[in-house]
Each structure stands twice: as structure tokens, then as C-alpha cells.
Amino acid sequence: MALRPQRTFRRRQVESSDSDSDGAKEQSAEEPASAGGRTEGAERPRGARSARGRGRVWASSRRSPGAAPRGDGGAECRTAELSTDEEEGTHTLTESKGDQSLSSDSSCSLEEKDVSPIVKIPDAAFIQAARRKRELARTPGDYISLDVNHSCTTSDCKRSNEEDPESDPDDHEKRILFTPKPQTLRQRMAEETSIRSEESSEESWEDENQDIWEQQQMRKAVRIPAGQNTDLSHSSKSQTLKKFDTSISFPPVNLEIIKKQLNNRLTLLQESHRSHQREYEKYEQDIKSSKTAIQNLESASDHAQNYRFYRGMKSYVENIIDCLNEKIVSIVELESSMYTLLLKRSEALLKRRQDELKFESSYLQQLSRKDETSANGSLAVDEKDQRMLEEIEARRMQRRQARELSGSRDHQEGMSSDDELPPAEMTNFHKCQGDILQDCKKVFEDVHDDFCNVQNILLKFQQWREKFPDSYYEAFVGFCLPKLLSPLIRVQLLDWNPLKMDSIGLDKMPWFTAITEFMESSMEDTGKEDGSDKKILSAVINKTVVPRLTDFVEIIWDPLSTSQTRSLTVHCRVAFEQFASENEVSKNKQDLLKSIVARMKKSIEDDIFIPLYPKSSEEGKMSPHSKFQERQFWGALKLFRNILLWNGLLPDDTLQDLGLGKLLNRYLIISLTNAVPGPDVVKKCSQIAACLPERWFENSAMRTSIPQLENFIKFLLQSAQKLSTSEFRNEISEIILILVKVKALTQAESLTEEHPLEPFTAQSTGV
């Protein structure tokens, strides 16, 4: 369908003027009336927009109050004008004036003959029909509508709005477009063509400017006058073309010259070839090294797997630390409960022993006073003291029977430990201990074995060490493991009593075995070994076991108990063996040794008491005074032996000061000096010599004994002199053997010269 050409106001005005001139010739007599009608009709559309929106009463409100009444012709003119105004309310002022002047002239000329005094206001249907006819009259000839009666379509309304600007809706009736109106294909093609033409024109303009600039620069270079119009580009090209001049003569060509040039050329090519060959070999080597690197990277573990491993290990360590932080409170409470239970038992036994010692001592003192005795010579005691004496004697009888059943014949009274408790107290003690151990088993009952089993934990870290040794040693895992394993080991040591002979050894415990295996597997990989894993066991013992031993020594250990001392020394030797390879001094170890020395000093001061009675009171070995004195002497000798059991653990100076200086010279020798020389005294001296460590006398060049044994050697010589004049002359040989053992060889030789020995004795002593 052909496009409708745009109508201009100028053409419409020309047409209107033609029609107006024709009407003027026919109706010349009525020009004033028609002119007035045209004027009124022409001015009405100007106010048509202001009357819009007032409903259907806008026609009567627009009539001028000063207008004269008209006849039928005026009414008809107004009727036509009303329809025209309502039809073209959106047209411009110029177009509206032309159209209405044409309609008013024609209508007025036709209706002058028949003037009706009645003014008829058209209804809506009439106005719509008039508007439609006017639109059809404006339709171009190339478009004929088939439907004449249908209402105005959207396209027709749009065209009428485009043709008549006066019919535009008000601002509040316009539809605001928020998106650009879609363009047709022809519009887009036209727009692209215009853009391309603009770009091409800009490029051509830039090229022209570039050519002008180049010509200016070339003029400056060759100094060409500005007025001379010369095509430099053409001249520059023509200069490059040189004509061959036949008059020029070249030097003669010789075969040697050609050969020389060829050789030079060949040499250059060979050098270039060699350089290329070297580059080629270098590239081949780079390719081989790259392939090797690729293979190594492909054979190596994947980064994603490494990341997952490290992330899993990090999560594992965080979980186990959280678990141990939560459980450590329960572990400390259980340890405190166990220490409290053992401490009560130890304090009860120590108090009972000291009370019984005081009671027996006071009882014997009273017994030695004759004025406090009764007529029959027996001491009057109350029921409480009598009951205590019976209890003490009953416990001694039980220990004596137990020794007889075990076959111990050489045991002396006072050498056994009085650590028996009544049955009720023993039952209560075992019940409380069982409750604590039962609670101990519940500590990790809700924890997986990977977080509470020492062996499983070490296996995790062993996998880390085997897969990624560099990061393992850079993380100093060997220094962190002892602290991480400490709570788990403390739980296993909760039932461990180092003072019992039947207690399990440290080297037999599961954690000890697991750590040892972990260290042995670490020693196999010597490439990255930095020594931290080798110190794990010693660090664990130093941080966990040694403090527990220190607590037992300070709170529970009884130095007078031989069984406790032997068991304690065995466990201490196992623990101290791990520090033998280390040059550094452990603070916990030093604290333990100081606690041992302090505890033995306290025992010497509080538990050793050997009374000295007059000989009248000691008549007969079965007298109470003699038995009490014997028991106290053998008790002191037992402590002397227990102290010397620490040989190799404590320094020799400390042992000699405790055992020889504070105990032997202060208590035992004084008691021996007060005793009657005889086989019993020699036997006691032999027992003292047997307790002395042989390591003190290993030096073969020694001719004199250690200084702390000087008093003991003097007592032996005095006893030999006394026995030489008695019936116990044969005991002198035993004294000589004791002197030889303590390396008092000079005194032994002099004594042998005075009292010859039997051949067997002389051969055994080597004197």
C-alpha cells in the first residue's frame, strides 16, 4: 500500500482560499454576515481545547454574550461549526481556520434561502458521523476503506493526530513512553547507512589531512618553496627509479675473487649452521627436561589430595584438642581423688606408727621406775593402754606367722613394715578406689578410639611423616606430641602405684610400647630426621611420669618401707634411663631427686629412735627394753639399707651424707658401742657392711676407706680387741672380712698380724 504523502498547511490554505473566492462571487450581498460567520467560526477552534473535559455542555458555554442573534443560516453555520470543532479539536490553528472558513461559506450560502429560527444541537451520533465523513474526505486516493461505518481505528487515529496538532490530548492524557519506540527494518537500515557514510567521510577527511601534513613535512625537509606546486609523492617515487648508465665501467671479474667470496659466504653459512645446531640441541635438552618434569609431576601426589589430607589433619588435630580440653577437668578431679585417698591411708599409718612408738617408749620408761611398780613388780596400766599393747602384739604375731609361711628365717624383729589396716578400713579403701577407677573408665567411653587411643593417634601422625616429611618436621610435631598425649597417659597412670611391688613396669605399658614403635619407625627414615621424634618418649616421661613420681614421693612414700622403696627405685631407674642420652638437665627430674632427699631426711629425724637403757634394765634378751631396743636398731638399719638403694640415682655425696653421716655415725654406731661385744654385734656390723654399695670400693688402688666410714672402722678394731680376750675369738675373722670389704686394708693387715686367720679366711680375703 502506497504511503500517504504528508499534507502541508500551505496547500490546504490555497484550497480554502479558492473555495472562499468562489463563495464570495455567489454570495456577494451577504459578505458581512458570512464574514462574521467565518470570523466566529475561525476563532472558535482556538478555545476548543480549553472546553474539553467539561462534558456535553461545552457548546453553550462557548457562545459570546455580545453576539447578535442569527437566523437559520447562522444556526446551521454554528451546527456545522460545532461538528467541525468537535471533529478536529486536535488540529492546528491554521488548518482549523481554513477548513471552517470553507465549511461556513458553503453552508451559509446554501442556507440563506431557508432560514430556520430553531437552533438544533447535534447529538453524539451526528457528530461522530460528521467526523467520519471528514476523515474519509482526507483519505488519499490510493487507499479505499471497505468498512465505512466502523469506528476510528488506532492507525487512523494516529494519522489524524499527526495531521492535526491541535487535536493532541492534554498533558495529563498523554501516555509517557519509558522505552524507545521499536524501529522498522527500513529505519534501522537507513540509520546504519547514514552512520557508515559519516564514518567514511571522517576517514577520508583524516586521510586528506594526513597527506597534507606529510607533504608539508617533506617540503620542510627538501626546502621546496611554498608556491611551487610539486607532487612530492610522485617525485619521491621517480627518484628511486635509476636508469642504467652504460658509460659506467665495472672492475674486471676474476675467478679467485669469486672463489674467495664464495668461501666467505660458505664460512658464514657454516657458522650460522653451527649456531643453529647448538640452539637445536639446547631445545632438545629443554624438551627432555620438560618431559621429565611432567612425568615427575604426574607421578607425584595430586594437589587436591594433598589439600584434602592437610584439611583432614587440621580438622583431626582441632577435634582431638577440643576433646582433651573437655576431658582434662575430669582427669584432674580423678587424680585428686586418688591422691586424697592414698594420702589418708599413708597419714593414718604414719600417725599410728609414731603414736605406738611414743606409747612404747613412755611405757618402758615407766616400767624402769621402781616407784611406779606394784607390789608384784608389774606396771599398773589402764584398759586403753592395755588394749593398744594387745593390738601391737597381735599385728607382730601376724607378720611373724606370714614370714614363717614364706620361709624367711633370717628376718629380724623391726625389719618388717607395720602397714596393716583393720578389715573395715581396708574394705572401705578398696571400695573408694574401685569407684574412682570405675569413673576413670567412663571418661573416654563416649570418645572414638582415634581420639583416645595413643597408638591410633600416633598412626595418624606417622602417615603424615611418611607422606609429607618436610611439612611434618617444619610443623615441629615431635615437640607437640608429648603435650598432646599427656592427658591420655595420665588416665592410664591413674591405676598405677609405683610403690607396689606388683605394679606394672613403665616399659610394659601400652603407651610406652606405642611411642617406642613410633620412634623406631622414625629412625628408619634418616633423610629428614631432625632428632625431635627421638625425644618423644623422654619428653613424655619428663612431663607426665616424673611429676607423678614426685607426688608419690612427697605425699605417700614411706622410706621405712623396703617394698615401697625397692619398687620406687625400679621405676625411677626405668624413667631416668631415657634421660641418659640427653645432656640437658631436666627440671622435673631435679625436683624429684630433691623430694627424695628431703623425704629421707624427714624420716631420719622423725622415725629413728634408738633408746639407751641401763644394763640392769637390759638383762636378758627377752626383756621388754631389750626387745624394743633391738626393734629400733633393726628399723634404723632397714632405713639405712633403703637409703643406699638409691645408689646410682642420687649423687654419691648425698647418699654418703644421709646414710653414713646422719644415720650410721649418729644412731647405729652409738647403739653398737653401748651393746655387749659378741656375735650379735659382729652380725650387725656385717649387715651394715653388706648394705654399702660395692661401686664405692671398686678402685683397686684404694688402701683406705672413705672418710665417712672412719668411725665404723674404729668400732670394728675396738670390737676385735675386746673379742680377742673373750670366748668369741673366732669372730675376729669376720671383722677382718668387713675391713677388707670397706677397703680398710691397712687396718685389716695389722689386725691379721696380731690375730692370724685360718687358711680359708686368708685366701678369701686376699690379705
Side-chain angles (χ1 to χ4, degrees):
M1 182 177 63
L3 295 175
R4 184 180 63 182
Q6 186 175 3
R7 300 178 62 184
T8 60
F9 296 111
R10 184 176 299 172
R11 190 166 61 186
R12 291 290 302 275
Q13 289 175 358
V14 170
E15 294 172 359
S16 300
S17 62
D18 295 340
S19 61
D20 291 341
S21 62
D22 295 338
K25 292 178 182 181
E26 295 176 0
Q27 303 291 338
S28 59
E30 296 181 6
E31 268 182 67
S34 63
R38 282 196 301 270
T39 303
E40 185 179 0
E43 291 180 357
R44 278 180 189 144
R46 296 181 182 179
R49 181 175 297 180
S50 62
R52 187 180 296 255
R54 299 180 183 178
R56 296 184 178 181
V57 298
W58 62 272
S60 61
S61 64
R62 289 189 60 185
R63 183 179 301 174
S64 137
R70 299 186 181 185
D72 296 337
E76 292 297 331
C77 289
R78 284 194 300 272
T79 304
E81 289 170 358
L82 287 173
S83 62
T84 303
D85 291 339
E86 185 174 359
E87 175 184 357
E88 299 187 12
T90 59
H91 291 172
T92 59
L93 182 60
T94 306
E95 186 177 357
S96 176
K97 286 180 179 181
D99 295 339
Q100 290 182 7
S101 62
L102 177 61
S103 61
S104 61
D105 292 340
S106 59
S107 60
C108 289
S109 61
L110 293 174
E111 293 174 358
E112 282 179 354
K113 298 178 182 180
D114 187 11
V115 178
S116 176
I118 300 173
V119 178
K120 294 182 180 180
I121 298 175
D123 57 357
F126 181 79
I127 294 172
Q128 186 69 19
R131 183 185 294 133
R132 184 60 185 165
K133 289 179 181 180
R134 188 62 176 269
E135 289 179 358
L136 292 176
R138 294 175 182 175
T139 304
D142 58 350
Y143 174 77
I144 299 175
S145 177
L146 299 178
D147 189 4
V148 180
N149 297 325
H150 66 79
S151 61
C152 179
T153 60
T154 305
S155 60
D156 296 336
C157 293
K158 290 182 179 179
R159 284 195 297 271
S160 63
N161 292 335
E162 291 176 357
E163 294 173 359
D164 190 3
E166 288 296 333
S167 64
D168 291 341
D170 293 339
D171 294 338
H172 65 278
E173 295 181 356
K174 290 182 180 179
R175 175 175 294 179
I176 300 175
L177 298 178
F178 293 96
T179 58
K181 184 177 180 180
Q183 297 179 350
T184 61
L185 178 61
R186 182 174 296 174
Q187 292 175 348
R188 290 197 298 271
M189 292 175 64
E191 185 178 356
E192 292 178 358
T193 304
S194 62
I195 293 174
R196 290 175 183 173
S197 61
E198 292 176 359
E199 293 178 353
S200 61
S201 62
E202 291 178 359
E203 291 178 357
S204 62
W205 181 75
E206 291 177 357
D207 293 341
E208 292 176 359
N209 292 340
Q210 182 71 16
D211 295 339
I212 295 171
W213 181 83
E214 290 178 355
Q215 291 179 5
Q216 291 175 356
Q217 298 299 323
M218 293 176 70
R219 286 195 188 96
K220 292 178 182 179
V222 299
R223 296 182 180 179
I224 298 176
Q228 185 178 357
N229 188 7
T230 306
D231 191 359
L232 296 177
S233 61
H234 179 71
S235 63
S236 61
K237 294 180 181 178
S238 62
Q239 290 176 3
T240 57
L241 301 175
K242 294 181 180 180
K243 296 181 179 180
F244 180 73
D245 192 359
T246 57
S247 63
I248 299 174
S249 62
F250 293 96
V253 179
N254 191 2
L255 185 61
E256 294 295 333
I257 296 174
I258 296 174
K259 184 178 180 180
K260 184 178 180 179
Q261 291 179 355
L262 291 175
N263 289 332
N264 293 337
R265 181 63 177 170
L266 180 61
T267 303
L268 294 175
L269 291 175
Q270 288 177 353
E271 291 178 357
S272 177
H273 175 71
R274 283 193 295 269
S275 64
H276 292 167
Q277 187 69 22
R278 287 192 297 269
E279 291 181 358
Y280 174 73
E281 292 176 356
K282 180 182 178 181
Y283 293 152
E284 282 188 343
Q285 188 66 25
D286 292 342
I287 291 172
K288 290 181 181 179
S289 62
S290 300
K291 289 181 179 180
T292 305
I294 291 172
Q295 291 178 358
N296 294 335
L297 292 175
E298 289 178 351
S299 60
S301 57
D302 189 13
H303 291 287
Q305 295 179 357
N306 298 349
Y307 172 73
R308 285 194 295 269
F309 176 81
Y310 284 122
R311 185 177 62 182
M313 201 68 195
K314 177 179 179 293
S315 176
Y316 175 77
V317 173
E318 290 177 351
N319 291 334
I320 193 174
I321 290 175
D322 293 341
C323 174
L324 296 178
N325 288 336
E326 181 180 350
K327 300 296 183 181
I328 192 65
V329 179
S330 302
I331 295 173
V332 172
E333 291 179 356
L334 292 174
E335 286 180 342
S336 178
S337 301
M338 183 63 74
Y339 283 139
T340 302
L341 181 63
L342 296 175
L343 177 61
K344 289 181 179 180
R345 179 185 178 185
S346 176
E347 289 178 347
L349 294 175
L350 181 61
K351 185 177 183 304
R352 187 183 69 180
R353 184 175 62 199
Q354 292 177 352
D355 292 343
E356 291 178 355
L357 178 61
K358 293 178 181 180
F359 173 75
E360 285 191 278
S361 177
S362 61
Y363 173 74
L364 292 176
Q365 287 179 0
Q366 294 178 7
L367 187 61
S368 60
R369 298 173 186 175
K370 294 183 179 180
D371 54 354
E372 295 181 359
T373 58
S374 59
N376 54 5
S378 61
L379 181 64
V381 295
D382 55 3
E383 296 181 358
K384 181 179 179 181
D385 295 340
Q386 186 66 29
R387 186 167 57 254
M388 183 176 292
L389 290 174
E390 292 177 355
E391 291 178 358
I392 294 172
E393 190 62 30
R395 289 198 303 272
R396 289 173 184 165
M397 183 63 64
Q398 291 178 359
R399 292 193 295 270
R400 193 178 300 114
Q401 293 176 356
R403 289 194 299 270
E404 291 176 356
L405 293 175
S406 62
S408 178
R409 302 291 182 181
D410 298 334
H411 188 80
Q412 301 295 331
E413 289 288 343
M415 297 290 286
S416 59
S417 299
D418 188 11
D419 54 359
E420 295 87 358
L421 289 175
E425 295 183 5
M426 288 295 295
T427 302
N428 188 21
F429 173 80
H430 289 301
K431 181 180 180 300
C432 295
Q433 188 178 22
D435 295 340
I436 294 174
L437 296 179
Q438 191 67 25
D439 294 338
C440 178
K441 294 179 180 179
K442 297 179 181 179
V443 173
F444 290 104
E445 66 178 0
D446 58 341
V447 181
H448 195 271
D449 289 342
D450 291 341
F451 299 93
C452 64
N453 191 305
V454 177
Q455 186 175 5
N456 294 349
I457 295 173
L458 292 177
L459 286 177
K460 288 281 187 180
F461 288 97
Q462 185 175 354
Q463 293 176 2
W464 184 4
R465 185 178 60 192
E466 292 175 355
K467 291 183 178 180
F468 310 102
D470 294 336
S471 62
Y472 174 85
Y473 291 109
E474 289 175 359
F476 300 100
V477 178
F479 296 102
C480 301
L481 281 178
K483 187 174 181 180
L484 185 67
L485 300 177
S486 178
L488 303 175
I489 297 174
R490 288 167 64 179
V491 172
Q492 297 186 24
L493 294 177
L494 197 61
D495 190 24
W496 180 64
N497 190 347
L499 304 179
K500 288 185 177 181
M501 291 297 297
D502 57 349
S503 61
I504 184 174
L506 289 174
D507 53 350
K508 302 295 180 59
M509 291 186 176
W511 62 266
F512 192 98
T513 306
I515 295 176
T516 304
E517 294 176 355
F518 181 78
M519 292 170 55
E520 291 176 353
S521 62
S522 174
M523 295 175 185
E524 295 176 358
D525 184 13
T526 58
K528 282 288 184 180
E529 178 60 37
D530 60 349
S532 60
D533 287 351
K534 294 180 180 178
K535 301 178 182 180
I536 293 178
L537 183 58
S538 60
V540 168
I541 293 176
N542 182 35
K543 294 180 180 297
T544 307
V545 179
V546 174
R548 185 169 179 82
L549 291 174
T550 304
D551 294 338
F552 271 93
V553 169
E554 293 177 350
I555 299 174
I556 305 169
W557 177 46
D558 182 12
L560 282 174
S561 175
T562 303
S563 60
Q564 292 184 11
T565 306
R566 287 184 183 276
S567 177
L568 185 61
T569 54
V570 170
H571 293 301
C572 288
R573 290 183 192 278
V574 175
F576 290 171
E577 284 178 359
Q578 306 302 324
F579 301 101
S581 59
E582 298 183 7
N583 296 326
E584 59 182 6
V585 179
S586 173
K587 182 181 180 300
N588 292 332
K589 178 182 177 181
Q590 296 299 324
D591 294 340
L592 174 59
L593 297 179
K594 290 179 182 179
S595 300
I596 293 171
V597 174
R599 186 69 184 88
M600 288 190 295
K601 286 182 179 180
K602 187 175 185 301
S603 181
I604 291 173
E605 295 173 357
D606 296 344
D607 298 331
I608 301 303
F609 172 69
I610 303 177
L612 299 177
Y613 297 110
K615 296 192 182 290
S616 59
S617 301
E618 298 179 6
E619 293 178 356
K621 294 183 179 181
M622 301 303 295
S623 63
H625 301 82
S626 178
K627 289 182 179 180
F628 180 72
Q629 189 178 31
E630 286 293 316
R631 285 195 301 269
Q632 293 302 114
F633 176 84
W634 288 109
L637 183 59
K638 182 176 69 171
L639 180 59
F640 176 76
R641 183 178 61 187
N642 293 342
I643 291 174
L644 296 181
L645 288 176
W646 293 98
N647 175 40
L649 298 175
L650 294 176
D652 293 340
D653 297 340
T654 303
L655 286 179
Q656 291 173 6
D657 179 66
L658 287 174
L660 303 181
K662 296 183 179 299
L663 189 56
L664 177 63
N665 296 330
R666 185 180 298 180
Y667 292 98
L668 297 179
I669 292 180
I670 293 175
S671 178
L672 290 174
T673 303
N674 194 38
V676 178
D680 293 338
V681 175
V682 176
K683 183 179 180 180
K684 292 177 182 178
C685 292
S686 178
Q687 291 289 336
I688 293 173
C691 296
L692 297 175
E694 296 180 358
R695 190 170 58 86
W696 291 357
F697 313 103
E698 288 180 351
N699 190 1
S700 59
M702 290 180 60
R703 299 293 297 175
T704 58
S705 184
I706 56 180
Q708 286 83 355
L709 290 177
E710 183 178 356
N711 294 332
F712 180 64
I713 294 173
K714 288 180 180 180
F715 173 75
L716 290 176
L717 295 176
Q718 293 174 3
S719 298
Q721 293 294 335
K722 293 178 181 180
L723 290 174
S724 63
T725 59
S726 65
E727 56 181 352
F728 304 109
R729 180 181 176 82
N730 295 331
E731 301 296 332
I732 298 177
S733 59
E734 188 68 24
I735 295 175
I736 295 174
L737 293 176
I738 295 173
L739 293 174
V740 172
K741 183 176 182 180
V742 298
K743 289 296 180 178
L745 299 181
T746 303
Q747 293 83 350
E749 289 177 355
S750 63
L751 188 59
T752 303
E753 292 176 356
E754 295 177 3
H755 307 282
L757 299 178
E758 297 179 357
F760 177 76
T761 306
Q763 184 178 1
S764 61
T765 57
V767 179

